[in-house]
Every structure is written in C-alpha cells, then in structure tokens.
Amino acid sequence: MSKKSRRHEHEEHADESWLLPYADLLTLLLALFIVLYSMSASDAKKFDEMSEAFNAAFTSGTGVLDYQSPVSTNQVTSKDETVKNKDDVTSKKDKRNEQQALLSKQEQIDLEKLKKQIDQYIQKSGLTNQLETKLNQSQLMITISDTALFASGKATVKPESKQLAAAISDMLQKFPDYDIVVSGHTDNIPIYNMDYESNWDLSSARALEFLKILLLNTNLDPKKFTPVGYGEYHPIVDNSTAVNRAKNRRVEVSLIRKYQDSTQLLNVTDVKE
C-alpha cells in the first residue's frame, strides 16, 4: 500500500485547470460572432433605410432629414410661370410686329400702285400744273389746286371739274377700307362777301362740296369720309407772292394709312415734302 496506492491516487486528481481559460475563450468567440452578426444585420438595415431615403429624395423631393428649401416650391413655380408668361408675351408681341410689318409692306405696295394710277391720269389729262400726289408715312395725299375746281371766292365745283372728281372716286373705291380726309385750304388774304365771312368758312365749304361730289359714287362708304376746313393756317409755302398764294389755295384728298411706323404721328397736315 505504499507506492502503487499513491500513484493511483495521484492519477485520480489530474490537473484540469486548462478547461477554464478554454471555456472563457469559447465564450468570447461566441460573443464576438454574436456582435459581428448583429453589426452586419444593423448595417444592412441602415443601408436599406439610406436606399429608401435617396429613392424618396429623387422621386418626391423629401428625404430622411426632411430638409426644407429656403425658397418654397410655390415661389419657384410662380417664378417659372412668370418667366413663361413673359416669354409668351414676347413671342406674341414678336408675332404681332411681324404680322404688322407684312401688312405695312402690302399697304405700301397698294398705295404706290394707286399713286401711280393717279399720276398717269394726271399726265394723260394734262393736269400736271393743277394736281400732284405725295406718299409719306401717314397718308397718300392728292393735292388739287383751287383753280382746277373753283372760281375765285366760290365753293361751287366747276362743271368741267366734276369729271376729275369722278375719276378720283373711281380710284378710291378700289380701297374701301381706308379713312379719307378731304381738307380745304386758302391763302391769307381775308375774304369778305355775302357767302363767306372768313377763310375758315370758305375752306370748309370747298372741302364739303368736293366730298359730296366724290360720294356721288355710291360704291364709296360715307362713314369713311371726313371734310375739314383749315382756312389759311396750314400753308405749304409763305404767302409773300401771288404764285405762292395760289399754291396755298388747294383741296387735299388724303388716304390715311392703317399700318404706319409707330414713331410717326398721324397728322393730315404734315409737311408735304
């Protein structure tokens, strides 16, 4: 019972202290794997949340942070609409200007054609000293010397001059949409007779009388015609000589432009140069 017995006793009490650190290591490893797994799962969730946030930002304008722009959507929309409206107005204005330019060009062609017809009639009839035409930015004007129409101090159109009025009315009826002003003018020599008290009266009577003869053409619309008496107050030359005074005694028939330069003012008494 001595040595053998002690050996068996020693074997029954073998050292197992290494199991403790081994178990601790396994526990730590298990904890590590649990932590790693939880982190992986958390990152996937965060990734999904981020993905949803970007998707929402690109589709609806909102994100996870719900950031609000300092300029509201309504303000941006309003500005866009204002710019669009301005562009639309500019575009419409450009179209109107383009259309008016085309109409003005066609009007110029028409009035030049009428002027040519009247000039040919004047030359053919030998009236170059008594009639003339001028086309400017406001009107086409036919100027008729008073000696071609009236006796001195009178407003009755001479019988032989009625043919002239009829020829002019035939040409005017080709342009029915134009307003026409018939104006009478005198020189500055005062008139005193039983019929007219002043040059105002004489010039007005002459304009009205010539207008009535024009309107004997029933194809003309009386609503388009206006008689005006200017007396001595719109001379084309000074009244210093008898020749000049004869030039100032006149009747003018003016076709008023419908499409004129916007910088030009309508004035039937513009300088005839």
Side-chain angles (χ1 to χ4, degrees):
M1 183 102 189
S2 52
K3 294 182 179 179
K4 187 175 181 180
S5 176
R6 283 196 302 270
R7 186 180 303 116
H8 287 296
E9 184 179 355
H10 176 75
E11 291 176 355
E12 289 177 358
H13 296 280
D15 186 7
E16 297 179 352
S17 60
W18 59 273
L19 290 175
L20 292 176
Y22 179 73
D24 292 339
L25 179 61
L26 290 178
T27 301
L28 291 175
L29 287 174
L30 178 60
L32 176 62
F33 285 122
I34 292 174
V35 171
L36 291 176
Y37 175 78
S38 64
M39 290 178 62
S40 175
S42 176
D43 289 343
K45 183 178 180 181
K46 288 183 180 180
F47 178 81
D48 290 339
E49 290 179 353
M50 186 178 296
S51 177
E52 291 177 1
F54 276 109
N55 183 56
F58 284 114
T59 56
S60 63
T62 58
V64 189
L65 297 179
D66 290 331
Y67 175 75
Q68 184 175 1
S69 172
V71 180
S72 69
T73 303
N74 291 337
Q75 290 177 329
V76 173
T77 303
S78 177
K79 289 181 180 179
D80 291 343
E81 290 178 352
T82 301
V83 172
K84 183 178 182 299
N85 291 336
K86 287 183 179 179
D87 291 341
D88 290 342
V89 170
T90 301
S91 178
K92 290 179 180 179
K93 184 177 180 181
D94 291 341
K95 289 180 180 179
R96 285 197 302 269
N97 290 340
E98 182 178 354
Q99 183 179 19
Q100 182 161 340
L102 293 174
L103 292 172
S104 179
K105 183 177 181 180
Q106 184 59 49
E107 180 181 66
Q108 181 71 19
I109 294 173
D110 292 340
L111 294 180
E112 286 178 354
K113 182 179 179 180
L114 176 58
K115 183 180 186 302
K116 184 177 180 180
Q117 292 175 354
I118 298 173
D119 289 341
Q120 289 174 345
Y121 173 81
I122 292 171
Q123 186 173 6
K124 182 179 178 180
S125 303
L127 299 172
T128 53
N129 293 328
Q130 296 176 312
L131 279 82
E132 67 175 347
T133 61
K134 290 187 181 298
L135 179 61
N136 59 29
Q137 293 295 328
S138 298
Q139 68 235 327
L140 169 60
M141 179 180 293
I142 308 167
T143 301
I144 310 169
S145 172
D146 76 323
T147 57
L149 299 176
F150 311 103
S152 178
K154 300 296 182 180
T156 302
V157 177
K158 297 175 182 178
E160 62 272 20
S161 299
K162 292 182 180 180
Q163 183 179 355
L164 168 62
I168 293 175
S169 70
D170 288 341
M171 297 178 195
L172 295 180
Q173 76 179 34
K174 300 176 183 178
F175 301 88
D177 295 330
Y178 285 91
D179 291 328
I180 297 174
V181 176
V182 181
S183 57
H185 302 264
T186 68
D187 58 28
N188 66 342
I189 303 299
I191 183 172
Y192 299 101
N193 60 33
M194 296 179 61
D195 297 321
Y196 310 106
E197 295 183 357
S198 68
N199 286 326
W200 284 106
D201 297 321
L202 178 60
S203 64
S204 298
R206 285 181 169 180
L208 181 59
E209 185 68 18
F210 191 73
L211 181 149
K212 289 179 179 179
I213 296 178
L214 290 176
L215 291 179
L216 291 176
N217 183 345
T218 57
N219 293 317
L220 297 177
D221 184 359
K223 295 193 297 291
K224 294 291 185 178
F225 286 75
T226 303
V228 180
Y230 286 110
E232 63 195 74
Y233 299 104
H234 294 275
I236 53 177
V237 292
D238 65 76
N239 286 288
S240 58
T241 66
V243 173
N244 283 0
R245 288 192 293 272
K247 291 180 179 179
N248 288 331
R249 298 190 299 268
R250 67 200 188 277
V251 170
E252 296 171 340
V253 181
S254 301
L255 282 81
I256 308 303
R257 285 181 181 267
K258 293 186 294 182
Y259 308 102
Q260 55 181 314
D261 190 335
S262 60
T263 62
Q264 298 291 332
L265 297 178
L266 179 61
N267 184 354
V268 298
T269 60
D270 282 342
V271 176
K272 315 304 185 302
E273 297 299 326

